[in-house]
Each structure stands twice: as C-alpha cells, then as structure tokens.
Amino acid sequence: MSRSASSLLVVALACASVAARAQQDAGKTASGRATAHLAARILPCDAPPIDGAVLIERDGRIVAIGRRDETSIPAGAPVVDHGDHWLCAGFVDLHHHVSSGGGDINDMNMPLNPALRTLDTVKPSAELIRQTVSGGVTTTLFIPGSGTFLSGFGALLKMRGGGTLEAMVIKELGAMKIAQGYNPERDAGDLGETRMGSSELLYQLLDRARDYAAAWRAHRAGEGPQPALDVELEQLRRVFDKEVPVLIHTAGLRDCLSTQRMFQQRYDLRMILSHGSFDGWLAADPLAIAGTPLNLGPRMYQFDRYGRMQGMCQAYWDAGCTNMSINTDAPVIAPEELQLQAAMAVRLGLPYAAALAAITITPARQIGLDDRVGSLAVGKDADFQVTAGDPLDPQHAPIQVYIEGKLVHRSTDAR
C-alpha cells in the first residue's frame, strides 16, 4: 500500500471512530434517564386535574403524565415524591421588563425603532429573574418599554437565570412592541405629539413594511425581482409574514378600538392587545365580536362613574372576550406576583378556570409557544411548580420550580 493510500485509510478510520462516538453520545442524550414526580394532584392547565398523579420527564420533556395506578414508571427511574403537594404548569407572562441590567429598554431619540431588540440587553445574572421564577413564572416575553410608538422587539425567555444567555432564549424575536396612547406621546412639538400624528407615523411605516414583505414573498415564489435590502424593515417584515406577533400597549376605550382597527382590520396581523386598562373594558363588546386577543393588567379593577368597583377581566370575559391572558407589566407589579394578579381577577368575578388558563396555556397560545409551554402534556417542556395547595391561593407560593426538568428554585433558598 502506498504512503498516500495508507494516510487516507488512517483518516477514514479516525472519521469513522468519531462518527461512532457521536452516535453513541446522541443515543445517550436521546435516551437519558427518566425521572418520576409523584404528587397528590397535578393541574395540567389544559385538561382536568389529576389526583394521585405522576409526571415523568426525560431530557427536559414530559414523556408520561397520569394517575399513578394507570401510568408505568420506567424501571430504575429516580422517583421524587412530593407527598400531598400539587404540581402545576409554570406560569407565562407576556408583558415583562425585568431581564436587563437596569432598565435599558427605551431609546427615546426616534419615535419608531423597528430595528431594535431587547435580546441585546438581557443579563442572565439580573436579580429580578430569580424573583420572577420564585413566583412560579417560568416563561416571559421580555419587551421594550412604551416610551416610543414602536420601541423594538422583545425576546421570549425561560427564567433560568445565573447561567448563559443561550440557556434562557427561546426565541430572539418573540414579539414586536407597539405603544398606543399616553406613554409615547411626544412633547417636542414634532409629529407624534397627538394621536393623529402618532397614527400617521405608524401607518407610514407599517405600509412600507407590508409592501416590503409582499415583495419578498413574491420574489421567493418566483413572481418578482429580489427587493433591495432595507435593514430597518428586516425584522418588521417577519411580522407581516406572520412569523412574529405584535403586542400593543393600549389603555382606554378610544385606544382599544384604534388598536383593533389598525392591527386586525387594516393589517390583519397576529396581534395581542395588552393592558386594556382604565375604561378600556367599555370596548369589550366590539372586541369580543372581533375576537381580539387580550393580555390584561397590571390594573385588575377600576371604579366606574358611579363609584362601583369593576373587575377588568370579569367585564371583558362576560362580554365574550375569552382569548384572555393576564400580566404584571413587571416591575410595575412585582414579577413574582403574577399568581396574585390571577387571584385578584377571580376575587373580582373571573371564573377560576379562566384565570388559571390566563397565566398558563392562553398566553402560550397567544405567543405561539403552546407546543412547548403553558400546560403539562406529553411532549412539552417539563416546566412546573410544586405548591402546598391551589397555586392561585396567595398563601401557597411555590415550594419548588422546575424548568425543563431541572430544579431552579426552592422556597428555602436564601433571598
């Protein structure tokens, strides 16, 4: 055999060895040891409660869930017995501002900032991430502030702080953030000082983005030339391709109707109306007819013109607005108090099942993550909390919280 042929044989054998080891490692990862969690009750959040229950996870995913007498635990699997405690899906908060190093989420120089994103400000060591998960909140949409009409794009994150950015990020672009009314109104005397001006600014930009996205779709279909790259619109065209939803800061009757008209009627985007506070509930009937997705909070009530306390969620729900989630707008409300927001909604008239869904499976569906989070089901991420009883009872703060099967919080941890 020639020297060159011998060298090629050595290389081939080395490559084969590496490939074999890679396959073995992949096999180990795919068939990692399962862990069984026993609990008195499991709340799947998209199915009826399960008493005398077991949840089995492997490699961060749920592989089985059900009654213990009907669910087989793999031989040799470690068993974590939570006794008479409950397991509930991790909470999801879609209006969150606390994962940066110090509030670096508003750039106020320009009224429209479609190229900005919060991903560049995430700080895994931020203390408020730990506080968030201590309340059972495992997934958040970390969005820019409402200082401008379009403040940028928020990142979808797992509240797995203290490690790497990669360990936290689910989607770099979770949603675009728009602000309608009040906060972003500009006092400089330029366009945008009034609602007429702010609407015109948004219409101009969104029309450009709509046409830019349509030109790219036509090009990909072989029906037009390749458009010139517009860096300002690159993120925004993903909104018009319906890959990324838009969350709109909206408060008050007038702005709720304006938001629905702009983002459902004129542009037909994947949209979520967020806040809906003050007298926004007076728009509940037309919003129900339009099927507008709502993300309500942080205010859970208002006194009406006669001095009566009106529960915000209850007013929308009774009108037929059932696509409803609840937020904290953290740190406006402490990030660990999403549970309390839902409990207040129940106290003020929202049905219990709707309130539990409003902080679990409904926000997951609204943001397009219901295949991974928001409920406990086979194939989903093993994100759950352990409580001494009803997770919407403020007396029962999470005792433990797991993200993808890993324990990330214990109530005995130093605070």
Side-chain angles (χ1 to χ4, degrees), residues 27-37 56-61 63 73-79 404-406:
K28 290 178 182 178
T29 300
S31 59
R33 176 182 284 188
T35 300
H37 292 266
I56 302 172
E57 70 83 16
R58 177 187 288 120
D59 299 327
R61 296 293 182 93
V63 295
I73 297 175
V79 175
E404 295 178 16
K406 302 297 183 183

Side-chain angles (χ1 to χ4, degrees), residues 109-183:
N109 292 303
M110 303 292 291
L112 300 168
N113 300 282
L116 301 187
R117 60 184 191 175
T118 59
L119 178 72
D120 302 308
T121 74
V122 177
K123 184 179 180 183
S125 62
E127 173 65 13
L128 285 175
I129 294 174
R130 186 196 59 75
Q131 284 185 223
T132 300
V133 79
S134 75
V137 181
T138 53
T139 302
T140 65
L141 175 62
F142 171 42
I143 52 176
S146 53
T148 60
F149 305 120
L150 195 169
S151 50
F153 285 71
L156 275 166
L157 305 174
K158 289 287 184 80
M159 292 291 93
R160 188 161 34 197
T164 65
L165 175 64
E166 290 73 21
M168 292 183 63
V169 176
I170 306 171
K171 291 185 179 179
E172 295 183 357
L173 300 183
M176 181 173 74
K177 169 68 181 297
I178 295 283
Q180 293 265 72
Y182 301 108
N183 294 34

